Amino acid sequence: MNARFVILAAGKGSRMKSQLPKVLQPLAKKPLLAHVLNGLSELSDKAPIVVYGHGGDQVKAAFSNQSIQWICQTEQKGTGHAVQMTSAELADDDIVTILYGDVPLVKNSTLERLQALADKSSIALLTVTLENPTGYGRIVREDGQIKAIVEHKDATDAQHQIKEVNTGIMSVRGKELKKWLSQLDSNNAQGELYLTDIVAMACEDNYEVLSVQADCEWDVAGVNDKSQLAELERIYQQRKAKELMIHGVTLLDPSRVDIRGKVSVGNDVEIDVNVVFEGAVKLGSRVKVGPNCVLKDCVIGDDCVIEAYSHIDSTVMGNAVSVGPYARLRPGTELGDNSKIGNFVETKKAVVGAGSKVNHLSYIGDTQMGSDVNIGAGTITCNYDGVNKHQTIIGNNVFVGSDSQLVAPVEIGSGATIGAGSTITKDAPEELLTLSRSKQLTIKNWTKPNKK
Ligand code: UD1
Ligand code: MG
């Protein structure tokens, strides 16, 4: 089968009341249109066609790294008109599937069923039965056979009672689609070219119009305003939470976890409330994530513990690492096995060797640290001279006393000890104590000032 996808995305989306075109509105931090496009490459070798109109440049720019065939529909004269714009691109033996840019949660398995039916009969519709079908095109059947789609505004009172509606998604063989599109007229309540009119044409030409019922209403739900966007976000998050639980994750509250990307997990992972995942996150077995953490693009080894309120971005951790509470790991952080980053510690481009500890109130940036190092509270790597960034190199088994500043570029040799409160501007040799402080003085004849 030659599968081809056409995505209608020219509508204005004025109910969003937003500068951002509707199809760029984010669901789980990704544009609606990205959800629609997601996975289509598994079903078709050809680039999908997107019919755009409003905010075209913005939409195109957002997908500049994807292979998409863009077709502009400057005036929106209806769904039939939108698909007509793509006619020249469609091959006779394509099974063309029409999707909407604002219907983000359609499953590939549903599309495959639809395509298979269209391959048999030339035309297949995705329908859904709604308790309240107001506004939708109704599926008109006779003796069970689909005969037409009638738009709500054109329907009779009797047809308004029909609860099976058109989701808008359909698969049609290219040859017939092009023929029927060329016969559309705007003789209807909205004065538009209705794509849905091809159903009656197909029946007239003696084609059997087949249908697939959506598994669930949410699979085919469209988004028109922020309230529907928020509603669909919750549905999406519920599904993602369920997927995690199916993979054996313990979620302390499945309604309080947000997955804006992909999370892969080992066994017996436990996630406390209000954790946000972004990008690609990999959690090893027995990882525990405390409440109110953000984990973005990171790999976390087995048996790691992330305590409350930690923010982790583009970081790789070995096994049994302990982080937080209140830690901020910025891009380029690599933490070795059994290392520990404690509260109010910020790291950036920092390699922390196995068993090393930065337990309290530190900034470690542009740093290469060996194993079994102990960094005292309040230690800062001064990596920036106002213009350039410089490296701090720390060997193995180093002890840095509290409240020290390591002014980069600087190297602390293995086994060295740095006295507390030191400002280290020159390399410190291995195994020795280095400190930089003025001598402690006590002024003998000093008296407290009197209040005047
Ligand atoms: C359409 C269907 C209706 C179905 C409903 C499902 C028709 C005539 N009606 O109605 O049967 O129940 O969807 O939601 O097809 N678009 C364009 N260019 C246009 C017009 C629309 O790209 O000129 C795009 C919109 O951006 C949107 C989609 O097509 O993504 C549907 O358009 P919309 O105006 O919402 O159609 P409905 O009247 O809701
Ligand atoms: Mg609509």
Side-chain angles (χ1 to χ4, degrees):
M1 186 202 304
N2 261 338
R4 194 84 211 256
F5 287 95
V6 171
I7 300 163
L8 305 189
K12 197 166 180 179
S14 40
R15 276 178 282 167
M16 283 290 170
K17 305 262 163 61
S18 170
Q19 302 277 56
L20 200 63
K22 183 178 10 177
V23 293
L24 293 187
Q25 297 287 332
L27 182 79
K29 234 187 170 177
K30 229 168 56 174
L32 288 172
L33 182 56
H35 288 273
V36 179
L37 292 165
N38 184 33
L40 294 188
S41 63
E42 285 164 31
L43 303 180
S44 170
D45 304 329
K46 293 185 183 170
I49 300 173
V50 176
V51 180
Y52 70 98
H54 289 275
D57 290 339
Q58 232 176 318
V59 177
K60 279 195 208 171
F63 293 92
S64 56
N65 60 350
Q66 286 189 38
S67 134
I68 290 172
Q69 196 175 348
W70 298 97
I71 291 189
C72 185
Q73 185 197 23
T74 37
E75 249 190 298
Q76 280 78 60
K77 299 190 211 161
T79 50
H81 179 250
V83 182
Q84 274 179 355
M85 314 257 57
T86 71
S87 276
E89 309 301 328
L90 306 175
D92 284 352
D93 61 349
D94 278 349
I95 295 296
V96 182
T97 300
I98 293 143
L99 302 171
Y100 288 176
D102 54 4
V103 178
L105 301 186
V106 188
K107 292 192 192 104
N108 267 11
S109 55
T110 306
L111 296 178
E112 277 175 320
R113 280 158 62 203
L114 200 62
Q115 288 171 326
L117 290 186
D119 202 26
K120 244 174 37 191
S121 76
S122 291
I123 176 163
L125 311 176
L126 180 59
T127 72
V128 67
T129 301
L130 298 179
E131 210 30 64
N132 176 11
T134 305
Y136 288 89
R138 306 298 208 281
I139 305 292
V140 179
R141 291 180 185 264
E142 276 170 28
D143 300 328
Q145 291 294 309
I146 296 177
K147 289 294 164 197
I149 298 175
V150 180
E151 290 306 296
H152 183 88
K153 288 183 180 157
D154 299 280
T156 63
D157 284 348
Q159 287 167 337
H160 281 150
Q161 304 309 309
I162 300 172
K163 291 191 167 169
E164 188 187 11
V165 304
N166 174 31
T167 62
I169 293 164
M170 56 178 83
S171 290
V172 191
R173 190 183 308 279
K175 185 169 179 227
E176 286 81 358
L177 176 61
K178 286 185 282 183
K179 177 183 167 226
W180 296 325
L181 284 173
S182 71
Q183 297 169 10
L184 292 178
D185 64 48
S186 57
N187 195 5
N188 54 54
Q190 302 184 79
E192 288 185 354
L193 296 177
Y194 288 167
L195 175 63
T196 45
D197 284 352
I198 70 169
V199 173
M201 292 175 191
C203 294
E204 213 150 285
D205 288 351
N206 291 315
Y207 286 87
E208 189 185 8
V209 180
L210 300 175
S211 69
V212 172
Q213 277 272 334
D215 296 335
C216 151
E217 202 178 308
W218 295 113
D219 286 3
V220 292
V223 178
N224 293 306
D225 57 30
K226 295 277 170 142
S227 149
Q228 289 171 345
L229 186 62
E231 206 173 15
L232 212 55
E233 175 81 31
R234 283 306 101 207
I235 297 294
Y236 179 88
Q237 293 302 344
Q238 273 170 29
R239 290 181 174 186
K240 288 284 155 187
K242 199 153 194 185
E243 275 173 31
L244 280 186
M245 292 186 286
I246 286 168
H247 282 96
V249 175
T250 300
L251 294 176
L252 270 73
D253 181 351
S255 70
R256 283 188 288 167
V257 60
D258 278 63
I259 298 164
R260 302 166 188 162
K262 260 205 177 99
V263 179
S264 64
V265 291
N267 297 322
D268 297 301
V269 167
E270 193 180 299
I271 297 169
D272 212 321
V273 299
N274 296 328
V275 175
V276 176
F277 294 97
E278 288 183 16
V281 174
K282 195 168 171 210
L283 305 175
S285 290
R286 299 170 301 281
V287 167
K288 283 190 166 62
V289 183
N292 300 298
C293 291
V294 178
L295 278 71
K296 180 180 177 198
D297 293 316
C298 53
V299 178
I300 296 183
D302 295 339
D303 301 295
C304 289
V305 177
I306 314 296
E307 305 270 14
Y309 295 97
S310 293
H311 190 286
I312 300 172
D313 184 0
S314 306
T315 289
V316 177
M317 283 178 215
N319 299 326
V321 173
S322 161
V323 171
Y326 301 98
R328 178 165 184 221
L329 308 183
R330 290 169 53 202
T333 298
E334 290 175 34
L335 306 178
D337 295 347
N338 299 298
S339 60
K340 189 162 190 286
I341 301 293
N343 42 221
F344 306 107
V345 171
E346 174 182 353
T347 63
K348 185 216 73 173
K349 284 194 187 149
V351 176
V352 174
S356 290
K357 298 185 172 87
V358 189
N359 274 337
H360 331 269
L361 302 151
S362 278
Y363 171 63
I364 304 295
D366 300 299
T367 296
Q368 194 80 36
M369 187 189 300
S371 57
D372 299 309
V373 169
N374 193 311
I375 301 288
T379 296
I380 304 290
T381 54
C382 309
N383 60 328
Y384 188 48
D385 59 14
V387 186
N388 295 304
K389 303 274 171 70
H390 302 282
Q391 286 285 318
T392 298
I393 313 283
I394 301 170
N396 300 325
N397 293 297
V398 168
F399 179 94
V400 177
S402 296
D403 196 27
S404 293
Q405 300 94 50
L406 309 177
V407 182
V410 73
E411 185 166 346
I412 314 293
S414 285
T417 297
I418 303 298
S422 293
T423 301
I424 302 296
T425 56
K426 294 190 235 86
D427 291 352
E430 291 187 2
E431 303 296 339
L432 299 176
L433 170 66
T434 300
L435 68 162
S436 79
R437 298 176 199 146
S438 53
K439 269 199 181 137
Q440 184 168 325
L441 293 176
T442 304
I443 312 294
K444 286 227 167 96
N445 300 321
W446 183 81
T447 51
K448 282 186 184 171
N450 288 322
K451 182 148 179 110
K452 283 182 189 141

